[in-house]
Amino acid sequence: MKKSLVLAMAMALGVTASAYAANPFSDVPAGHWAYDSISKLAAAGIIEGYGDDTFRGDRLMTRYEMAQIVAKALAKGANVDKLAAEFADELDALGVRVAALEKKADNVKITGEIRYHYGYIKPNHDRKLSETGLRSRLYFNGKVNDNWNYVGRIENQQWFHNTEEPGAGNKGDEDTSFNIAKLEGRLGGINVIAGRDDDVFADGYIYDGEHDAVKLSYGSKYYISGAYGKLTDLNDDEVFGGKASAKEFWNAEIGTNMDTFVNAKVGYLSAKLGTDGKAYFNDDSKDGILYAGLNFKLTDDLGLNAMYLRSNRDKFVSEGNNYKSKKDGYVFGLSFKGAEAETPGSWGLGANYYHQGRGTYLAHTIDGDTDFNTGFKGWSVGGEVTLAKNMVLSTTYYDTKALKGAQENNAKTKVIWSEFNVFF
């Protein structure tokens, strides 16, 4: 790399000095095209030349010599981030920590996603329903220090088409909320998440939604985790009656997370319900659910998962009617490949079978109908494809119905749920 090129880059990056040195190098006369630039850099202490007062501008320089110039420019406060990244290894060898010189503005990163969805819903009667909506999310990730981050999320939901299903919005409805606000970090070897989060329990077969909690986990290949807080999404669930549905919950889980043929998990979630939730659960405020799951990696592309759940609740009350459900539940799933947002043309297929008593789930992860008073059973099949980088299209068909018992023997619903997701 010639020194003349180095000077051109340095001046383009705005390296300045308060005064010029008079003829700093004997081989750079005052009339030379690079005289002003060389004088500024020399006066700023960024370049020094050789012991015989020459600059030797036609000589090729090594990467280490260039790294020394970048290091001096950094020390002077010059904006040379791109050069610092290019010569990171050499700067590291010189003891210059590039990461510590990043701008504070870079401590906050903003990402987001936009989802357009279409849902076609056919209950067990002549009436057919459909809905469309647009959901926008912005994530704010702020670096507190080397061990802790802050994550926030603003979400806007708009409804474009009427729907008569409980809990969904009507045409023209719009809602904006700040629904994630949490700290993530480490205390010794323990991972900590504290605040409002949006996550799943038991792979979403028990709960998928927002909650206020403190969550701790330890280990990676073999892990143990726990959580304590409030399942806030239950307060918006029409099934449980409204705002007085959720009180505290706790969860404990142990499992494995390895690149092997099989991984396993066992856990327990206990939810204490408020006045409205208690009334639905036959005047009992507690729902305890034990779960155990296995994930099999049959090939690099083919996966199989299975989960068993058991609740301590089997009696429920809704609109003055008593219902009895099974205490047990199980889910089986098969997946092939998968759409990666970063890889255009990637795709995946999946299928699941569900058979869950009403006490084994609180806010289920699927977009099919699960709001049967006696629990539900059914199946789903779907696919996804990455149309372009960070643009993913997916469609899933759900066929679910009430478990046998009480007045819901014939209740069933078919749903086609399609999404177009854009990530940025």
Side-chain angles (χ1 to χ4, degrees):
M1 182 181 293
K2 287 193 174 183
K3 290 187 176 180
S4 58
L5 179 58
V6 174
L7 294 176
M9 288 189 294
M11 292 308 299
L13 289 167
V15 179
T16 60
S18 58
Y20 297 176
N23 288 321
F25 305 112
S26 60
D27 58 346
V28 185
H32 194 278
W33 66 269
Y35 178 80
D36 287 346
S37 298
I38 293 172
S39 297
K40 289 179 180 180
L41 292 169
I46 294 175
I47 59 174
E48 296 179 353
Y50 294 87
D52 58 358
D53 294 328
T54 60
F55 179 64
R56 303 181 192 179
D58 292 330
R59 174 183 173 273
L60 292 175
M61 67 192 308
T62 68
R63 287 182 63 88
Y64 276 104
E65 288 174 322
M66 181 62 192
Q68 288 179 322
I69 292 175
V70 174
K72 291 177 181 178
L74 286 168
K76 296 291 182 179
N79 183 4
V80 289
D81 291 350
K82 293 183 178 179
L83 287 174
E86 170 66 25
F87 294 92
D89 292 340
E90 289 79 9
L91 289 168
D92 184 64
L94 292 171
V96 179
R97 292 190 62 210
V98 177
L101 298 169
E102 291 178 347
K103 296 178 181 178
K104 190 169 182 62
D106 294 335
N107 285 348
V108 178
K109 296 181 180 179
I110 301 176
T111 58
E113 60 185 78
I114 299 173
R115 185 195 76 177
Y116 174 84
H117 85 267
Y118 168 78
Y120 173 82
I121 305 157
K122 186 179 183 302
N124 188 36
H125 46 65
D126 294 335
R127 182 168 54 100
K128 298 177 182 179
L129 309 172
S130 64
E131 63 178 65
T132 57
L134 183 69
R135 185 186 71 190
S136 302
R137 288 173 167 176
L138 286 177
Y139 295 86
F140 302 86
N141 193 314
K143 188 175 180 62
V144 178
N145 54 44
D146 290 342
N147 294 320
W148 289 87
N149 292 323
Y150 170 82
V151 179
R153 184 179 76 185
I154 296 176
E155 178 177 296
N156 173 263
Q157 177 72 65
Q158 302 177 60
W159 297 96
F160 299 145
H161 186 72
N162 285 332
T163 176
E164 299 177 39
E165 287 295 276
N170 293 314
K171 182 178 179 180
D173 283 357
E174 181 178 357
D175 179 66
T176 300
S177 59
F178 189 72
N179 54 21
I180 285 184
K182 62 180 179 177
L183 282 171
E184 298 179 333
R186 293 178 63 87
L187 291 175
I190 300 176
N191 296 308
V192 181
I193 299 176
R196 173 155 292 189
D197 200 4
D198 186 359
D199 203 355
V200 300
F201 294 96
D203 297 341
Y205 301 136
I206 293 178
Y207 186 86
D208 179 356
E210 296 158 21
H211 50 278
D212 297 329
V214 175
K215 297 186 286 187
L216 308 176
S217 65
Y218 178 80
S220 54
K221 292 183 177 180
Y222 301 92
Y223 70 86
I224 180 171
S225 65
Y228 176 80
K230 182 178 181 180
L231 302 174
T232 53
D233 256 7
L234 293 185
N235 292 332
D236 296 323
D237 196 323
E238 294 285 339
V239 173
F240 296 117
K243 298 297 182 182
S245 294
K247 286 189 176 181
E248 68 265 21
F249 84 98
W250 64 266
N251 168 249
E253 181 178 299
I254 59 173
T256 63
N257 184 26
M258 299 183 289
D259 187 19
T260 57
F261 172 69
V262 61
N263 281 293
K265 67 178 67 173
V266 177
Y268 187 83
L269 185 141
S270 176
K272 187 173 182 180
L273 304 173
T275 304
D276 294 338
K278 179 180 177 181
Y280 180 82
F281 275 72
N282 197 35
D283 207 30
D284 193 322
S285 64
K286 292 184 179 180
D287 185 22
I289 307 170
L290 174 70
Y291 60 93
L294 293 172
N295 292 304
F296 299 92
K297 184 179 180 182
L298 303 180
T299 70
D300 287 341
D301 294 327
L302 186 62
L304 172 68
N305 65 80
M307 181 166 288
Y308 172 77
L309 309 101
R310 182 170 178 84
S311 169
N312 63 353
R313 306 298 310 145
D314 63 353
K315 295 179 181 179
F316 306 91
V317 177
S318 180
E319 298 179 353
N321 296 315
N322 295 318
Y323 298 89
K324 187 168 182 178
S325 178
K326 294 182 178 181
K327 291 186 176 182
D328 297 314
Y330 43 88
V331 181
F332 298 101
L334 193 65
S335 62
F336 182 72
K337 291 189 174 181
E340 301 290 341
E342 294 286 329
T343 308
S346 61
W347 57 276
L349 298 173
N352 289 278
Y353 176 76
Y354 315 92
H355 190 287
Q356 293 188 239
R358 191 60 185 89
T360 66
Y361 61 96
L362 296 168
H364 209 284
T365 190
I366 67 173
D367 294 302
D369 190 3
T370 64
D371 292 339
F372 303 107
N373 291 312
T374 60
F376 80 103
K377 64 180 178 179
W379 55 277
S380 67
V381 60
E384 57 183 3
V385 60
T386 303
L387 302 177
K389 185 176 181 180
N390 294 327
M391 294 183 174
V392 181
L393 177 67
S394 65
T395 298
T396 305
Y397 174 79
Y398 298 95
D399 190 327
T400 58
K401 62 181 180 179
L403 292 180
K404 292 181 179 180
Q407 293 94 330
E408 291 189 310
N409 285 345
N410 298 317
K412 59 183 179 179
T413 306
K414 298 177 181 179
V415 174
I416 298 175
W417 186 270
S418 297
E419 295 183 359
F420 179 57
N421 286 277
V422 178
F423 306 93
F424 58 91

PDB file of all heavy atoms in Angstrom, residues 31-51:
ATOM      1  N   GLY A  31       5.828  22.732  -2.867  1.00  0.00           N
ATOM      2  CA  GLY A  31       4.962  22.711  -4.042  1.00  0.00           C
ATOM      3  C   GLY A  31       4.397  21.342  -4.362  1.00  0.00           C
ATOM      4  O   GLY A  31       3.652  21.203  -5.338  1.00  0.00           O
ATOM      5  N   HIS A  32       4.680  20.323  -3.556  1.00  0.00           N
ATOM      6  CA  HIS A  32       4.194  18.964  -3.831  1.00  0.00           C
ATOM      7  C   HIS A  32       2.679  18.893  -3.612  1.00  0.00           C
ATOM      8  O   HIS A  32       2.135  19.544  -2.719  1.00  0.00           O
ATOM      9  CB  HIS A  32       4.901  17.965  -2.909  1.00  0.00           C
ATOM     10  CG  HIS A  32       4.727  16.531  -3.315  1.00  0.00           C
ATOM     11  ND1 HIS A  32       3.620  15.801  -2.987  1.00  0.00           N
ATOM     12  CD2 HIS A  32       5.529  15.697  -4.030  1.00  0.00           C
ATOM     13  CE1 HIS A  32       3.731  14.575  -3.467  1.00  0.00           C
ATOM     14  NE2 HIS A  32       4.911  14.500  -4.119  1.00  0.00           N
ATOM     15  N   TRP A  33       1.982  18.082  -4.455  1.00  0.00           N
ATOM     16  CA  TRP A  33       0.518  18.008  -4.368  1.00  0.00           C
ATOM     17  C   TRP A  33       0.022  17.525  -3.015  1.00  0.00           C
ATOM     18  O   TRP A  33      -1.101  17.820  -2.595  1.00  0.00           O
ATOM     19  CB  TRP A  33      -0.035  17.103  -5.483  1.00  0.00           C
ATOM     20  CG  TRP A  33       0.357  15.652  -5.360  1.00  0.00           C
ATOM     21  CD1 TRP A  33       1.453  15.061  -5.904  1.00  0.00           C
ATOM     22  CD2 TRP A  33      -0.332  14.642  -4.619  1.00  0.00           C
ATOM     23  NE1 TRP A  33       1.505  13.736  -5.562  1.00  0.00           N
ATOM     24  CE2 TRP A  33       0.413  13.447  -4.785  1.00  0.00           C
ATOM     25  CE3 TRP A  33      -1.498  14.613  -3.854  1.00  0.00           C
ATOM     26  CZ2 TRP A  33       0.025  12.251  -4.187  1.00  0.00           C
ATOM     27  CZ3 TRP A  33      -1.876  13.423  -3.276  1.00  0.00           C
ATOM     28  CH2 TRP A  33      -1.127  12.243  -3.439  1.00  0.00           C
ATOM     29  N   ALA A  34       0.857  16.724  -2.293  1.00  0.00           N
ATOM     30  CA  ALA A  34       0.431  16.170  -1.009  1.00  0.00           C
ATOM     31  C   ALA A  34       0.982  16.952   0.172  1.00  0.00           C
ATOM     32  O   ALA A  34       0.823  16.522   1.318  1.00  0.00           O
ATOM     33  CB  ALA A  34       0.867  14.713  -0.905  1.00  0.00           C
ATOM     34  N   TYR A  35       1.597  18.110  -0.089  1.00  0.00           N
ATOM     35  CA  TYR A  35       2.277  18.838   0.995  1.00  0.00           C
ATOM     36  C   TYR A  35       1.319  19.200   2.135  1.00  0.00           C
ATOM     37  O   TYR A  35       1.614  18.977   3.314  1.00  0.00           O
ATOM     38  CB  TYR A  35       2.925  20.102   0.432  1.00  0.00           C
ATOM     39  CG  TYR A  35       3.610  20.936   1.490  1.00  0.00           C
ATOM     40  CD1 TYR A  35       4.893  20.599   1.962  1.00  0.00           C
ATOM     41  CD2 TYR A  35       2.971  22.048   2.046  1.00  0.00           C
ATOM     42  CE1 TYR A  35       5.510  21.352   2.945  1.00  0.00           C
ATOM     43  CE2 TYR A  35       3.581  22.803   3.029  1.00  0.00           C
ATOM     44  CZ  TYR A  35       4.849  22.449   3.477  1.00  0.00           C
ATOM     45  OH  TYR A  35       5.460  23.190   4.459  1.00  0.00           O
ATOM     46  N   ASP A  36       0.143  19.780   1.802  1.00  0.00           N
ATOM     47  CA  ASP A  36      -0.786  20.211   2.852  1.00  0.00           C
ATOM     48  C   ASP A  36      -1.268  19.034   3.701  1.00  0.00           C
ATOM     49  O   ASP A  36      -1.340  19.102   4.936  1.00  0.00           O
ATOM     50  CB  ASP A  36      -1.997  20.921   2.234  1.00  0.00           C
ATOM     51  CG  ASP A  36      -1.645  22.302   1.702  1.00  0.00           C
ATOM     52  OD1 ASP A  36      -0.555  22.796   2.049  1.00  0.00           O
ATOM     53  OD2 ASP A  36      -2.455  22.863   0.940  1.00  0.00           O
ATOM     54  N   SER A  37      -1.605  17.922   3.025  1.00  0.00           N
ATOM     55  CA  SER A  37      -2.092  16.753   3.759  1.00  0.00           C
ATOM     56  C   SER A  37      -1.021  16.197   4.678  1.00  0.00           C
ATOM     57  O   SER A  37      -1.294  15.851   5.840  1.00  0.00           O
ATOM     58  CB  SER A  37      -2.548  15.668   2.771  1.00  0.00           C
ATOM     59  OG  SER A  37      -3.627  16.134   1.987  1.00  0.00           O
ATOM     60  N   ILE A  38       0.199  16.096   4.149  1.00  0.00           N
ATOM     61  CA  ILE A  38       1.289  15.549   4.950  1.00  0.00           C
ATOM     62  C   ILE A  38       1.583  16.456   6.137  1.00  0.00           C
ATOM     63  O   ILE A  38       1.830  15.989   7.261  1.00  0.00           O
ATOM     64  CB  ILE A  38       2.547  15.350   4.081  1.00  0.00           C
ATOM     65  CG1 ILE A  38       2.284  14.245   3.046  1.00  0.00           C
ATOM     66  CG2 ILE A  38       3.763  14.997   4.935  1.00  0.00           C
ATOM     67  CD1 ILE A  38       3.384  14.105   2.021  1.00  0.00           C
ATOM     68  N   SER A  39       1.526  17.748   5.933  1.00  0.00           N
ATOM     69  CA  SER A  39       1.790  18.698   7.009  1.00  0.00           C
ATOM     70  C   SER A  39       0.755  18.574   8.126  1.00  0.00           C
ATOM     71  O   SER A  39       1.086  18.596   9.315  1.00  0.00           O
ATOM     72  CB  SER A  39       1.799  20.132   6.462  1.00  0.00           C
ATOM     73  OG  SER A  39       2.845  20.302   5.520  1.00  0.00           O
ATOM     74  N   LYS A  40      -0.521  18.433   7.735  1.00  0.00           N
ATOM     75  CA  LYS A  40      -1.577  18.287   8.727  1.00  0.00           C
ATOM     76  C   LYS A  40      -1.391  17.016   9.559  1.00  0.00           C
ATOM     77  O   LYS A  40      -1.497  17.029  10.785  1.00  0.00           O
ATOM     78  CB  LYS A  40      -2.946  18.252   8.050  1.00  0.00           C
ATOM     79  CG  LYS A  40      -3.415  19.573   7.473  1.00  0.00           C
ATOM     80  CD  LYS A  40      -4.773  19.397   6.815  1.00  0.00           C
ATOM     81  CE  LYS A  40      -5.275  20.703   6.214  1.00  0.00           C
ATOM     82  NZ  LYS A  40      -6.598  20.547   5.577  1.00  0.00           N
ATOM     83  N   LEU A  41      -1.116  15.897   8.880  1.00  0.00           N
ATOM     84  CA  LEU A  41      -0.964  14.627   9.584  1.00  0.00           C
ATOM     85  C   LEU A  41       0.267  14.623  10.485  1.00  0.00           C
ATOM     86  O   LEU A  41       0.248  14.063  11.577  1.00  0.00           O
ATOM     87  CB  LEU A  41      -0.891  13.488   8.580  1.00  0.00           C
ATOM     88  CG  LEU A  41      -2.197  13.225   7.803  1.00  0.00           C
ATOM     89  CD1 LEU A  41      -1.939  12.266   6.647  1.00  0.00           C
ATOM     90  CD2 LEU A  41      -3.260  12.667   8.716  1.00  0.00           C
ATOM     91  N   ALA A  42       1.330  15.250  10.016  1.00  0.00           N
ATOM     92  CA  ALA A  42       2.541  15.322  10.831  1.00  0.00           C
ATOM     93  C   ALA A  42       2.313  16.189  12.058  1.00  0.00           C
ATOM     94  O   ALA A  42       2.733  15.854  13.173  1.00  0.00           O
ATOM     95  CB  ALA A  42       3.695  15.855   9.992  1.00  0.00           C
ATOM     96  N   ALA A  43       1.622  17.333  11.853  1.00  0.00           N
ATOM     97  CA  ALA A  43       1.349  18.224  12.984  1.00  0.00           C
ATOM     98  C   ALA A  43       0.439  17.560  14.009  1.00  0.00           C
ATOM     99  O   ALA A  43       0.531  17.828  15.210  1.00  0.00           O
ATOM    100  CB  ALA A  43       0.716  19.530  12.482  1.00  0.00           C
ATOM    101  N   ALA A  44      -0.459  16.670  13.533  1.00  0.00           N
ATOM    102  CA  ALA A  44      -1.367  15.963  14.438  1.00  0.00           C
ATOM    103  C   ALA A  44      -0.699  14.783  15.125  1.00  0.00           C
ATOM    104  O   ALA A  44      -1.298  14.152  15.987  1.00  0.00           O
ATOM    105  CB  ALA A  44      -2.597  15.485  13.671  1.00  0.00           C
ATOM    106  N   GLY A  45       0.543  14.454  14.721  1.00  0.00           N
ATOM    107  CA  GLY A  45       1.248  13.343  15.345  1.00  0.00           C
ATOM    108  C   GLY A  45       0.839  11.988  14.830  1.00  0.00           C
ATOM    109  O   GLY A  45       1.142  10.975  15.456  1.00  0.00           O
ATOM    110  N   ILE A  46       0.172  11.947  13.676  1.00  0.00           N
ATOM    111  CA  ILE A  46      -0.297  10.678  13.136  1.00  0.00           C
ATOM    112  C   ILE A  46       0.773  10.004  12.284  1.00  0.00           C
ATOM    113  O   ILE A  46       0.864   8.781  12.255  1.00  0.00           O
ATOM    114  CB  ILE A  46      -1.605  10.894  12.348  1.00  0.00           C
ATOM    115  CG1 ILE A  46      -2.718  11.323  13.327  1.00  0.00           C
ATOM    116  CG2 ILE A  46      -2.034   9.637  11.594  1.00  0.00           C
ATOM    117  CD1 ILE A  46      -4.024  11.690  12.672  1.00  0.00           C
ATOM    118  N   ILE A  47       1.588  10.783  11.577  1.00  0.00           N
ATOM    119  CA  ILE A  47       2.718  10.227  10.833  1.00  0.00           C
ATOM    120  C   ILE A  47       4.003  10.880  11.329  1.00  0.00           C
ATOM    121  O   ILE A  47       3.998  12.024  11.809  1.00  0.00           O
ATOM    122  CB  ILE A  47       2.560  10.433   9.315  1.00  0.00           C
ATOM    123  CG1 ILE A  47       2.450  11.929   8.973  1.00  0.00           C
ATOM    124  CG2 ILE A  47       1.349   9.671   8.793  1.00  0.00           C
ATOM    125  CD1 ILE A  47       2.429  12.203   7.487  1.00  0.00           C
ATOM    126  N   GLU A  48       5.118  10.139  11.231  1.00  0.00           N
ATOM    127  CA  GLU A  48       6.391  10.629  11.761  1.00  0.00           C
ATOM    128  C   GLU A  48       7.517  10.647  10.743  1.00  0.00           C
ATOM    129  O   GLU A  48       8.440  11.438  10.861  1.00  0.00           O
ATOM    130  CB  GLU A  48       6.833   9.755  12.948  1.00  0.00           C
ATOM    131  CG  GLU A  48       5.877   9.831  14.139  1.00  0.00           C
ATOM    132  CD  GLU A  48       6.322   8.944  15.270  1.00  0.00           C
ATOM    133  OE1 GLU A  48       7.297   8.178  15.082  1.00  0.00           O
ATOM    134  OE2 GLU A  48       5.693   8.983  16.341  1.00  0.00           O
ATOM    135  N   GLY A  49       7.494   9.795   9.738  1.00  0.00           N
ATOM    136  CA  GLY A  49       8.596   9.729   8.798  1.00  0.00           C
ATOM    137  C   GLY A  49       9.763   8.945   9.361  1.00  0.00           C
ATOM    138  O   GLY A  49       9.594   8.126  10.286  1.00  0.00           O
ATOM    139  N   TYR A  50      10.957   9.179   8.814  1.00  0.00           N
ATOM    140  CA  TYR A  50      12.150   8.430   9.200  1.00  0.00           C
ATOM    141  C   TYR A  50      13.155   9.330   9.924  1.00  0.00           C
ATOM    142  O   TYR A  50      13.025  10.561   9.949  1.00  0.00           O
ATOM    143  CB  TYR A  50      12.782   7.789   7.961  1.00  0.00           C
ATOM    144  CG  TYR A  50      11.887   6.726   7.348  1.00  0.00           C
ATOM    145  CD1 TYR A  50      10.915   7.086   6.409  1.00  0.00           C
ATOM    146  CD2 TYR A  50      11.979   5.405   7.739  1.00  0.00           C
ATOM    147  CE1 TYR A  50      10.070   6.128   5.868  1.00  0.00           C
ATOM    148  CE2 TYR A  50      11.144   4.437   7.201  1.00  0.00           C
ATOM    149  CZ  TYR A  50      10.186   4.803   6.271  1.00  0.00           C
ATOM    150  OH  TYR A  50       9.359   3.861   5.743  1.00  0.00           O
ATOM    151  N   GLY A  51      14.161   8.714  10.500  1.00  0.00           N
ATOM    152  CA  GLY A  51      15.127   9.457  11.304  1.00  0.00           C
ATOM    153  C   GLY A  51      15.936  10.485  10.541  1.00  0.00           C
ATOM    154  O   GLY A  51      16.495  11.409  11.133  1.00  0.00           O
TER     155      GLY A  51
END
